[in-house]
Amino acid sequence: MPGPDQDKINNALWSACDTFRGTVDPAQYKDYILVFLFWKYLSDIHARHERELREKYGDNETLIRRKLERDRFVLPEGTSFYYVRDEHRNDAELGDKINKALQAIEDANKQKLEGVFRNIDFNSEPNLGETKARNRRMKSLFDDFSDPALNFSAFTDTSDTGMADVIGDGYMYLISRFASDSGKKGGEFYTPKEVSKLLALLLDPQPGERIYDPTIGSGSLAITVADELRHPDKELHPDKKSSNDFAIYGQENNRSTWALAKMNMFLHNVDGAQIEAGDTISDPKLKEADQLLKADIVVANPPFSLKKWGYGDVQKDPFKRFTKHGMPPKSKGDFAFLLHMIASMKEATGRVGVIVPHGVLFRGGAEGKIRRSLIEANLLQAVIGLPEGLFYGTGIPAAILIFRKGREHGDVLFIDASRDFDDRGTQNVLRRQDIKRIVETYQAYERDPDFEMVEKYAYKASRAEIEENDCNLNIPRYVDTFEPEEPVDLEAVAIMIRELEEKLGDTRRKLNGYLQELGLPT
């Protein structure tokens, strides 16, 4: 029997949120919904495996147990969604029963899931209310996730068919909805999938490469970059072959979001991902021989202009991230994340793709000096201006910066893509044709040494031009998008005014006639 399609899964998931909506803050209940989804997915896949083994091996319980223990994950007895629902739904300690089941699952799968349920408490009175109300919400959640549309047993948990991605995409759909509902804080852990796709196409991952996101959030951006290797975009990279040969690394400061990233990696069959919890700037966890881990692709959507980014913690930075190009200002952390990413690039193959607010392009002071140093080091490859309103929680326009090691020329590509998007009311979205235009322009710039410009869209600036502009990277300095107004036909305008005056005179005469008939002053 085929599984439900993506729209049905998404609708059922969003409907399940009604259990909490209006009574509990989305920032709190999102973790409960997403953990329930993860638990239900594990339970459905495990139940199907067990059923198939029983059909094959009959009552050979020892063999069945041994084979289940060799699965991609282990679900200890008495810990499935169905067991807790059927055996404990009326228990006064229902929340505690759920907690213990999840802890047992984590203990049985330490290598892949250690710590992911540590910060979730289904027995929490502050988050879920007093016992009676809390148990009512838990029972409602069990009912919501028992919806046939959320039966994942038809899906495989292998990456060969890609069916597991349907579940992972549902997971990412919920994350995106929570991001849009929870405002500014939500935008900190989710990059719109269209922007992630654009970055993946620009950075063009190759087999055997390391992908590293130092502010990994829910993991969606890193997964999308890896997916460009697993399922290449054949229209924009026609010669690229599918490959599962990659490694994902990441670090996330928010502990709850870190747990989401771990679960998201598992759902997308990226079991080997190394995701660390902690502050990337003050305490980078990913190291090799006491030095920063080096990656081929370093990609991130770091928090915009973070004020408390750890300035005081890195004055004697052991990794010398701020020695060569300069120390970022105390009040804005944009360049702190950017310089960390550049320090994490591999020497020969390293590429950085980072999303930044426009201020990074032109602010002066310490940031201006860092910008000049990066240009003189010939690291900057491209500046791409995005439309405003793409990101959850902020309407300000953002830009993508691409850096690359080993560049053979000093030119920089500027693209103004700010006018190409689909206006969906409160949120703008990059369309397929918008992404395609940016990527094809970038590819033309990389491929053709004679590339100069695309009128009112893109321009290849020389190092000398950029230095003449005092290393100010503000896109309008390089891409002229001025649209001259059409000349005014003064004679036609005069005729139109005369006609309007004649009509106005006729109307006034009629009005005065009516007023005289009524004996009123005109």
Side-chain angles (χ1 to χ4, degrees), residues 290 376 428 499:
D290 292 330
E376 289 175 350
N428 294 329
E499 290 174 349

Side-chain angles (χ1 to χ4, degrees), residues 89-348:
R89 66 174 287 129
N90 293 317
D91 288 6
E93 305 84 14
L94 178 57
D96 188 52
K97 299 290 185 186
I98 297 172
N99 285 343
K100 288 178 177 174
L102 295 176
Q103 186 59 53
I105 293 172
E106 184 181 315
D107 290 342
N109 300 273
K110 274 194 178 299
Q111 189 174 0
K112 298 173 183 174
L113 301 177
E114 185 174 13
V116 297
F117 302 128
R118 188 178 300 163
N119 293 322
I120 191 81
D121 182 4
F122 284 88
N123 208 29
S124 169
E125 185 170 319
N127 288 347
L128 300 174
E130 295 180 353
T131 303
K132 191 173 179 180
R134 186 166 68 244
N135 286 349
R136 186 176 66 249
R137 291 195 176 98
M138 293 305 98
K139 290 179 187 176
S140 181
L141 264 188
F142 275 116
D143 292 340
D144 292 332
F145 278 85
S146 297
D147 186 329
L150 293 178
N151 185 345
F152 305 127
S153 61
F155 295 153
T156 175
D157 60 337
T158 67
S159 59
D160 293 334
T161 63
M163 288 302 289
D165 285 346
V166 177
I167 308 303
D169 288 345
Y171 198 77
M172 291 170 80
Y173 163 80
L174 265 191
I175 290 173
S176 70
R177 291 297 301 261
F178 284 129
S180 61
D181 266 24
S182 54
K184 189 174 181 180
K185 290 182 179 177
E188 291 177 357
F189 62 79
Y190 185 76
T191 305
K193 62 180 182 181
E194 298 82 8
V195 179
S196 297
K197 174 74 173 177
L198 172 60
L199 271 166
L201 288 165
L202 293 169
L203 294 169
D204 191 18
Q206 299 298 310
E209 290 195 330
R210 288 176 168 183
I211 301 163
Y212 168 44
D213 185 340
T215 58
I216 197 163
S218 63
S220 61
L221 177 54
I223 289 170
T224 304
V225 174
D227 277 344
E228 180 51 29
L229 196 52
R230 293 196 289 195
H231 310 289
D233 188 315
K234 288 296 184 183
E235 184 181 15
L236 291 168
H237 291 130
D239 299 327
K240 197 167 186 175
K241 293 182 179 177
S242 175
S243 172
N244 284 315
D245 184 12
F246 62 86
I248 289 182
Y249 301 86
Q251 185 164 341
E252 172 54 42
N253 198 24
N254 183 304
R255 194 85 193 186
S256 296
T257 310
W258 167 85
L260 292 183
K262 294 269 285 188
M263 287 187 273
N264 210 6
M265 293 293 160
F266 186 90
L267 287 171
H268 282 83
N269 297 308
V270 190
D271 289 347
Q274 187 178 347
I275 313 298
E276 302 293 339
D279 189 319
T280 291
I281 301 301
S282 62
D283 185 20
K285 302 278 190 182
L286 291 159
K287 291 175 277 192
E288 291 176 313
D290 292 330
Q291 296 300 311
L292 292 178
L293 178 139
K294 302 287 185 180
D296 304 279
I297 290 180
V298 189
V299 64
N301 177 17
F304 285 2
S305 303
L306 192 65
K307 292 181 179 176
K308 298 179 181 178
W309 59 268
Y311 178 86
D313 299 330
V314 296
Q315 294 304 302
K316 296 181 180 178
D317 181 37
F319 307 106
K320 303 186 185 308
R321 291 169 291 180
F322 313 112
T323 303
K324 184 174 182 180
H325 301 294
M327 180 63 71
K330 185 177 181 180
S331 59
K332 290 185 176 64
D334 299 307
F335 275 97
F337 290 102
L338 201 158
L339 292 177
H340 172 84
M341 296 174 75
I342 287 174
S344 303
M345 273 198 293
K346 275 189 177 179
E347 282 304 318

Side-chain angles (χ1 to χ4, degrees), residues 70 72 283-284 310 316 346 372 375 390 393 406 433 447 470 494:
R70 294 174 182 169
R72 184 166 162 252
D283 185 20
K316 296 181 180 178
K346 275 189 177 179
R372 175 178 292 279
I375 290 165
L390 288 182
Q433 64 263 36
R447 183 180 58 245
D470 199 24

